[in-house]
Amino acid sequence: MKAVCWHGKHKIQVDSVPEPKILNPRDAVVKVSSTAICSSDLHLYDGVVPTMHHGDVLGHEFMGEVVEVGNAVRNLQVGDRVVVPYSIACGNCHFCEKQLWSLCDNSNPNAEIAEQTYGFASAGVFGYSHLFGGYAGGQAEFVRVPYADVGPLKVPVDIPDEQLLFLSDIFPSGYMAADQCDITPGDVVAVWGCGPVGQFAVRSGFLLGADRVIAIDHEIERLRMAEKSGAETIIWDDAMIDKLRDLTNGRGPDACIDAVGMESHGTSLNAKYERIKMALKKGADSCLALPQAIQACRKGGIISIPAVYAGVIDQFPIGAAFQKGLTLKMGQTHVHKYMRLLLEKVQNGEIDPSFVITHRFKLSEAPEAYKLLHKNSDECIKVILKP
Amino acid sequence: MTRTVEETIHAPNAGTGRKAMTRIFRASRKNASMQAPTQACSAVTINKPVSEVYDFLHDFQNIPKYVRNIQSVELFGPAKYRWITRPVEGKSLEWSCEIIQEQPNHSFEWQSLPESETQLFGYVSLNEARGHRGTEVNMALEYIPPSGNAGKLFVQIFGPDSEQQLSGDLKRLKALLETGEIATIEGQPSGQISRNRSTEEHS
């Protein structure tokens, strides 16, 4: 079969690889009908995520048709149409029982590597380095899905792929980001970064009852998309904090969402410093949005971080966070917790998640698609691939 | 299990499992040969009732399912078992041991039979974690490897870090009991690569 494989920094290749097999009783094999490139895949593309091996199959956002099930999978049948959560969860451990699915104890076969890095291991993730289990991903014609009796969500046949695919990651990620903001009537939510997760955070902020959502980015097309979702927009610059105070009549946003994470593409001097630091591998994640969000947030507010961080950051304004009594919430998305609820919202017509798609490619064109998403982050917001 | 300040002062780096182990190992060393023992202890919490974990652990024929370096365990007499390691370059080690000092649903110990070339001692205790957090398993192992070539083979099989091995095996035990299987990627597809690149790792 054809699969998108990693061969080093900026080296993505479509290889012919063997088709996946059932390896454990709770596995299924899914024939991929649609898959997407996630902005977090660009971290792999840029070679900043450790423990990637040559030939690793990429992709953690995918959906398709069940073509084979292991003998312990009773809830799925060959032919079922499913969307698969990007993180892998067993459904039996203490964390899964508490709905903290992305913290699953059992799904990362390389837990020991992750423990050395983070103290404890979080869940395995498809196509996202050996730190997260080394699972072959879904930018392929077929993919093996572990714990298939727990993760995959059966979806109706009458809704097109493009409206369902993002239940696998970015829609739940944006929704959890907004959910973590504990939105109450009158709340103003500010969102740093209008990439796909930021776009869904904007929409989800409104779905959860925010009075206003303020979207922040450098890229005009991204801001236009957020505006169509109902957000007020600000062009990201060094005067952000004053602008936000003005826009909220002196109060500051009630909650701030960092949908940028490491390796943000700021243009200020500080951004250049951050990039130089990363290039020199000084060990710190590049980070600009988070300190601003902490500075801008009102007293007693919430900072919600759906964006990915992997290492350490310096210049973290702990004083501002402490003195203003902020609450920080973060982590990989508990996709399993939100999928069913969000499917209902799609079915009810409350949202059509396909609004983020700007580009469509064949799976075989994946190298060009990666290049485009990497180079043109303004106009190219979300890419889907069709095997 | 909780620690007192006194215990903290006298064994600042020791966890509760290690405390139990240290006590046990002193006892076992009386019978030990001249070889330096290999010792390891580790703990895991398993989201299953104590009785289920105890029964699974107590049936040594389950060991190859979660201990990576043991290929088979056969019962050959009342509470007596023969363990055979996974082979390295076609050679494996074996020993016989018996379960002693059982306290059902709480703890048991096992030790090698006197004629066994590899001397082995093990202890496991189980506790119900408070607040419905499952079963706390503390395990301690002591091996006294054989001398000569068999001793070298022992090191090849068990590797340099016996504690890491034990900790990994307990994770596999936990996964097996909680989920019925152990997560793996062995046998999955990966991209075509030339031989010299296949060993490169990006980090």
Side-chain angles (χ1 to χ4, degrees), chain A residues 5-7 15-18 20 23-26 47 49 51-55 90 92-94 97 105-106 109 112 115-116 133-136 144 147, chain B residues 45 47 68 131-133 164 167-169 171 174-176 178-193 197-198 200-203:
Chain A
C5 296
W6 187 92
H7 289 284
D15 289 336
S16 285
V17 306
L23 300 177
N24 263 337
R26 293 173 64 184
V49 178
T51 72
M52 286 298 291
H53 296 185
H54 285 286
C90 76
N92 307 106
C93 69
H94 178 74
E97 283 185 354
D105 260 344
N106 293 314
E112 285 153 40
E115 279 178 6
Q116 284 163 18
Y135 288 99
R144 166 190 162 240
Y147 303 116
Chain B
T45 301
N47 195 19
R68 275 166 291 198
H132 307 289
R133 282 168 166 77
Q164 199 180 11
S167 155
D169 289 339
K171 274 194 190 72
K174 171 186 163 73
L176 188 58
E178 289 183 349
T179 76
E181 61 186 46
I182 296 166
T184 185
I185 58 167
E186 264 173 59
Q188 73 174 12
S190 120
Q192 286 167 354
I193 41 182
R197 287 174 78 192
S198 69
E200 264 179 58
E201 260 189 36
H202 176 82
S203 58

Side-chain angles (χ1 to χ4, degrees), chain A residues 16 27 41 44 50 53 57 63 95 100 132 171 243 253 287 353 356:
Chain A
S16 285
D27 288 355
D41 288 331
L44 307 176
H53 296 185
V57 181
M63 64 179 293
F95 295 97
L100 300 169
F132 299 101
F171 185 14
K243 284 187 192 171
C287 165
V356 287

Side-chain angles (χ1 to χ4, degrees), chain A residues 178-235:
Chain A
D179 195 26
Q180 288 181 152
C181 293
D182 291 344
I183 294 168
T184 54
D187 272 2
V188 181
V189 177
V191 180
W192 271 256
C194 296
V197 170
Q199 297 291 344
F200 279 107
V202 168
R203 291 277 182 125
S204 302
F206 287 121
L207 285 171
L208 287 161
D211 191 44
R212 296 164 62 198
V213 177
I214 300 169
I216 302 155
D217 207 299
H218 322 280
E219 314 274 17
I220 302 304
E221 289 310 315
R222 291 181 175 227
L223 289 175
R224 285 209 175 101
M225 186 182 271
E227 186 174 41
K228 280 186 201 148
S229 300
E232 295 156 59
T233 56
I234 311 184
I235 292 182

Side-chain angles (χ1 to χ4, degrees), chain A residues 335-377:
Chain A
V335 178
H336 301 60
K337 175 179 169 183
Y338 292 103
M339 273 183 127
R340 204 167 295 276
L341 169 79
L342 299 183
L343 171 62
E344 280 169 26
K345 293 194 185 296
V346 175
Q347 284 176 300
N348 298 341
E350 287 177 67
I351 183 166
D352 174 356
S354 64
F355 76 94
V356 287
I357 302 171
T358 53
H359 290 76
R360 295 165 178 84
F361 285 91
K362 288 186 204 138
L363 184 76
S364 56
E365 298 164 333
E368 293 151 62
Y370 269 88
K371 202 176 278 178
L372 180 73
L373 186 64
H374 187 253
K375 284 223 166 109
N376 190 349
S377 61

Side-chain angles (χ1 to χ4, degrees), chain B residues 13-54:
Chain B
N13 300 320
T16 52
R18 190 176 292 277
K19 187 186 82 184
M21 183 181 87
T22 312
R23 198 179 292 147
I24 292 288
F25 286 160
R26 264 187 228 122
S28 95
R29 216 169 289 160
K30 287 178 202 157
N31 307 323
S33 73
M34 303 304 286
Q35 284 284 95
T38 296
Q39 297 174 340
C41 75
S42 192
V44 71
T45 301
I46 299 176
N47 195 19
K48 284 283 172 185
V50 171
S51 58
E52 197 176 318
V53 180
Y54 185 91

